[in-house]
């Protein structure tokens, strides 16, 4: 599926995202998160891995929207507060 993140187009599939995140240790979640292969990742970390761009170049909302369209479960800050 074609996604626009930080004004750049990316052709992403759910399996591509899962493969990119395989072996990547999740960082501490302080905002929006996504579940990939039973692991909770901050969406900015996932965005950085799949786009190979600096996190400051895109918003969490852009990545969340793309991941949600690919079928991933995304969570807002309110829901992730108790996951620490």
């Amino acid at each position: 599926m074609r996604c626009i993140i930080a004004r750049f187009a990316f052709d992403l599939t759910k399996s591509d995202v899962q493969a990119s995140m395989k072996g990547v240790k999740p960082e501490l979640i302080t905002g929006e998160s996504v579940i990939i292969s039973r692991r909770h990742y901050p969406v900015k970390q996932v965005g950085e891995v799949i786009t190979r761009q600096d996190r400051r170049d895109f918003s969490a909302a852009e990545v969340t929207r793309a991941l949600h369209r690919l079928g991933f479960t995304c969570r807002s800050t309110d829901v992730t507060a108790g996951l620490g």
Side-chain angles (χ1 to χ4, degrees), residues 19-59:
S20 295
M21 296 308 294
K22 187 175 183 177
V24 176
K25 183 179 176 185
E27 297 174 357
L28 180 65
I29 297 171
T30 58
E32 292 85 359
S33 67
V34 60
I35 301 171
I36 300 174
S37 302
R38 298 184 315 204
R39 298 181 94 175
H40 294 261
Y41 291 92
V43 293
K44 293 283 256 185
Q45 179 185 12
V46 175
E48 185 175 55
V49 171
I50 63 176
T51 66
R52 297 186 197 106
Q53 295 179 340
D54 190 281
R55 296 173 195 213
R56 295 171 290 185
D57 294 340
F58 54 84
S59 70

Side-chain angles (χ1 to χ4, degrees), residues 1-18:
M1 179 179 66
R2 194 167 200 78
C3 302
I4 305 296
I5 301 173
R7 298 182 313 272
F8 292 99
F10 295 91
D11 289 316
L12 301 172
T13 65
K14 188 170 185 173
S15 60
D16 288 341
V17 174
Q18 290 170 325

